[in-house]
Amino acid sequence: MLGIGLDGTLDKFVETANIFAERRPSVRALWRSRTGSFDRVHAILPSTTVVGESLDLTVQVWDEYERVHDVYDGRLRVDSTDSAATYPERVSFAGDDEGVVTSTDAVTFETTGIQYLTFSRPGTDERFVSNPVRVTADDPDEHVYWGDIHLHSRLSDGTGSLEKGYRFGRDTMALDVVAYTDHDTMGFFIPPTLQRALMHARNFDRSRRVADRFDDPGSFVTLFGYEWTKQPNCGGHINVYFEDPEDAVLFDSRGGTTNTYEKLWRRLHEFEATHDSRAVTIPHHPTEAMYPFDFSAVDYDDELAPLVEVYSQWGSGELPGDEGNPFPLAMGRGEIDDAGHFVRDALSMGYRVGLVAGADYHGPHPGHSLIHADPHLPSTREWVRDGVGWSSIWRVWNERSYPGGLSAFRAPELTRESIFEALRSRRVYGTTQPHRILADLTVAGVSPGEHESTVRLDDRTTPREVSLDVAGTAPLERVEVVKNGSVWRSHAITSDPEAPLSTYTASVSWTDDDPVEGMVWDESRRAVADVYYLRVWQVPRHCSFPGAAWVGPVWVEPPGDD
């Protein structure tokens, strides 16, 4: 065994070197990438508001390598779908504002419904569209907040400081929630025992202190967590989050009482029994062949692990690539061939797991990962200030990545407690970056996170209405309701990336009057309930990847004696 003496670190290095040799970029292309050009505009507003409320507007200019285009010097014209709205007529970039302009209290909508701002460059026919904003007459019971809660810094195998990442997420990307989840036992080509020692000695506490310093209830929420990390070829990874950082304990993946999934969950149950705060765990990239998470081989705890990261920069673990998944996992060793690792498999085993998305980005750019762009050179300043880690390496090599993911939190207020409750109750959903898609699914009037995401029927043949409302950031290609692992209903909208704003929204309802059948995994494991969730596909616009969203599930149970 090549890497026994270094806990497998040498094995990892050799395998990584082979992958890099296979996917090495053109030196000429890397040299050209030192400077980029204007590629597109990204405009951010709060997703929910009331008539007459003043909103901050953040406008960014990006280059073709997914970098903030910090030398842009120009103006953008602004318009709105709400003829009665108040908004700036133009946004001006001076060339020294680093490609980001934030206007405080700059926008007010006066008409209820879904509203947008649009942006254009003088002398061109290019049009850029903000995220959708749901405007209501009265303050809603819950708001939609956006977060990136799966990130790594130089405290493990990433680059950049925690402080730089939090500032970028808060100030550049206007995120509401950010969480760093540095590895407990995996650093950048250092033995797991050393990374474990560093985390226990200082990095866990340092991460806790920085998260607390940036947490600002009502404005910006930081969650505290870490990544419980199996070594290559030994199993999958789980993010562990704590509601109160002061109570957090590092239950690492090499400790004798927490070195299996089941032992970890047992210790977390003990933790909750002795503390006034809670924990939550989220498995991710379960289909990656080097770090697979096999739902069929685990005594899965869907109370402490009520969510699965269905999408990240690795791709989507919803279903296999050869079954219509447009984001098959291609990084590392690629997608595992064995059944049992996909989210659809977990649902068919009867596990109650909701769908969320994250970045798993290893650099200081919450909300906008870079490694799916063409290979390009980080600046000298980035190498010096942020160090060497996976984000800088992956930006230079073609790692076959996708844009990262975002999590949408449905919560009454922007506090750690409300955001954590959204996680535990599955009142969340996931999208691909940077798309802040508004998406709602109801089955018999129940949305994900309500009534334990469950409809309980008096008769298994009782009809139930299935409804969806979607407002996208680009023309919608189609919206799909998946039932029991297969597309049950699909509504097509357009394939035109320049289609009008009317194609950005969809509201559809169907009636399901088929008897409840559930899902079957094997003779001993099944879901007695029907399982519904929503998939949203947008037409690719300004990029080669379609914007997407996953919402749900909602479970429909037959009577108890069936």
Side-chain angles (χ1 to χ4, degrees):
M1 294 293 291
L2 181 64
I4 289 178
L6 293 175
D7 291 324
T9 304
L10 187 55
D11 284 329
K12 174 69 172 175
F13 178 81
V14 171
E15 182 161 16
T16 300
N18 289 335
I19 292 173
F20 285 170
E22 175 190 342
R23 304 174 188 176
R24 62 187 181 276
S26 159
V27 174
R28 180 176 298 178
L30 285 177
W31 186 255
R32 287 198 305 266
S33 75
R34 291 177 304 148
T35 58
S37 57
F38 177 98
D39 188 68
R40 64 189 181 278
V41 171
H42 185 205
I44 304 170
L45 291 159
S47 288
T48 50
T49 189
V50 296
V51 169
E53 181 180 13
S54 296
L55 306 177
D56 294 349
L57 168 65
T58 300
V59 183
Q60 312 145 352
V61 177
W62 297 88
D63 72 10
E64 64 269 40
Y65 299 103
E66 298 290 346
R67 299 174 299 204
V68 177
H69 190 43
D70 56 8
V71 296
Y72 180 67
D73 184 357
R75 295 185 299 171
L76 300 171
R77 289 195 299 261
V78 187
D79 203 349
S80 175
T81 54
D82 180 1
S83 60
T86 301
Y87 54 90
E89 294 183 357
R90 65 182 60 85
V91 175
S92 298
F93 291 82
D96 57 357
D97 44 32
E98 299 187 343
V100 181
V101 172
T102 297
S103 303
T104 304
D105 295 335
V107 179
T108 303
F109 293 107
E110 301 294 343
T111 306
T112 59
I114 297 296
Q115 304 294 349
Y116 293 89
L117 293 183
T118 61
F119 301 80
S120 59
R121 283 204 298 165
T124 75
D125 58 1
E126 295 174 304
R127 182 190 66 179
F128 305 94
V129 182
S130 73
N131 62 282
V133 181
R134 180 181 293 121
V135 184
T136 55
D138 301 311
D139 196 34
D141 293 334
E142 64 181 19
H143 299 271
V144 177
Y145 299 112
W146 292 95
D148 191 346
I149 61 170
H150 186 179
L151 299 156
H152 298 276
S153 77
R154 63 188 178 201
L155 294 188
S156 57
D157 59 347
T159 63
S161 67
L162 300 169
E163 292 87 347
K164 183 175 180 178
Y166 283 130
R167 291 189 184 101
F168 184 90
R170 181 191 63 192
D171 302 334
T172 298
M173 295 309 302
L175 288 172
D176 304 299
V177 185
V178 170
Y180 270 88
T181 52
D182 276 304
H183 294 282
D184 59 350
T185 59
M186 183 180 290
F188 188 67
F189 291 123
I190 64 174
T193 49
L194 177 56
Q195 174 64 15
R196 182 188 185 214
L198 290 171
M199 283 292 283
H200 280 281
R202 61 174 183 265
N203 288 351
F204 191 73
D205 285 337
R206 179 181 176 186
S207 182
R208 182 195 342 243
R209 290 194 302 270
V210 176
D212 272 343
R213 190 163 78 243
F214 277 86
D215 188 58
D216 185 10
S219 297
F220 182 68
V221 164
T222 61
L223 299 180
F224 177 68
Y226 68 97
E227 184 165 332
W228 186 93
T229 309
K230 282 291 188 183
Q231 299 307 303
N233 312 309
C234 295
H237 297 179
I238 295 178
N239 285 340
V240 182
Y241 302 91
F242 293 92
E243 184 174 18
D244 186 346
E246 290 302 313
D247 293 337
V249 179
L250 179 56
F251 299 119
D252 72 74
S253 56
R254 295 173 72 86
T257 62
T258 53
N259 60 359
T260 70
Y261 309 114
E262 293 86 354
K263 288 180 181 179
L264 171 66
W265 289 322
R266 189 178 307 122
R267 288 297 303 272
L268 288 173
H269 277 295
E270 295 171 357
F271 168 88
E272 291 196 336
T274 56
H275 293 80
D276 292 329
S277 60
R278 298 171 293 177
V280 70
T281 64
I282 304 177
H284 53 271
H285 56 62
T287 62
E288 205 281 322
M290 190 185 297
Y291 305 105
F293 187 97
D294 189 351
F295 294 97
S296 67
V298 176
D299 185 10
Y300 194 82
D301 188 332
D302 55 16
E303 178 184 355
L304 278 171
L307 301 164
V308 175
E309 191 177 272
V310 69
Y311 174 87
S312 71
Q313 66 177 12
W314 292 79
S316 171
E318 179 191 359
L319 68 162
D322 60 6
E323 295 187 29
N325 178 1
F327 303 109
L329 197 144
M331 290 176 67
R333 289 183 184 167
E335 185 177 273
I336 195 167
D337 293 328
D338 302 332
H341 298 80
F342 296 90
V343 176
R344 182 180 62 186
D345 300 336
L347 294 171
S348 71
M349 296 172 201
Y351 297 134
R352 297 289 178 102
V353 291
L355 309 178
V356 71
D360 200 3
Y361 185 63
H362 288 57
H365 303 103
H368 203 117
S369 58
L370 281 70
I371 68 171
H372 61 284
D374 289 340
H376 59 280
L377 283 172
S379 67
T380 302
R381 184 175 59 180
E382 287 178 291
W383 289 108
V384 172
R385 291 185 179 179
D386 298 337
V388 179
W390 283 120
S391 72
S392 52
I393 299 298
W394 284 336
R395 287 169 65 180
V396 174
W397 265 264
N398 176 13
E399 187 52 22
R400 300 176 186 174
S401 171
Y402 302 97
L406 290 175
S407 294
F409 301 87
R410 304 175 188 270
E413 59 184 359
L414 186 56
T415 62
R416 276 178 173 166
E417 293 75 17
S418 289
I419 296 301
F420 209 85
E421 176 58 28
L423 288 171
R424 282 294 292 254
S425 66
R426 308 185 189 94
R427 199 81 175 127
V428 294
Y429 64 91
T431 73
T432 59
Q433 288 181 5
H435 302 288
R436 303 186 187 201
I437 300 168
L438 291 175
D440 296 287
L441 169 72
T442 61
V443 181
V446 174
S447 299
E450 294 180 338
H451 308 295
E452 299 179 330
S453 305
T454 302
V455 177
R456 296 175 174 85
L457 301 180
D458 294 329
D459 187 290
R460 67 170 54 245
T461 62
T462 301
R464 50 270 186 199
E465 184 178 52
V466 180
S467 301
L468 60 88
D469 288 285
V470 177
T473 60
L476 300 175
E477 179 182 320
R478 68 188 186 280
V479 290
E480 300 173 331
V481 174
V482 178
K483 175 187 174 185
N484 294 341
S486 301
V487 175
W488 174 70
R489 293 291 186 271
S490 181
H491 176 67
I493 296 96
T494 186
S495 60
D496 180 6
E498 301 303 325
L501 284 170
S502 60
T503 64
Y504 284 47
T505 59
S507 296
V508 190
S509 293
W510 300 276
T511 298
D512 187 358
D513 52 13
D514 292 332
V516 174
E517 295 181 349
M519 302 175 70
V520 177
W521 172 253
D522 57 23
E523 293 181 356
S524 61
R525 288 173 289 187
R526 60 167 297 162
V528 297
D530 281 348
V531 185
Y532 300 79
Y533 61 89
L534 169 64
R535 275 200 305 242
V536 177
W537 302 115
Q538 296 188 155
V539 181
R541 190 168 187 266
H542 306 305
C543 68
S544 58
F545 300 102
W550 295 261
V551 184
V554 173
W555 288 266
V556 175
E557 293 182 349
D561 58 350
D562 281 20

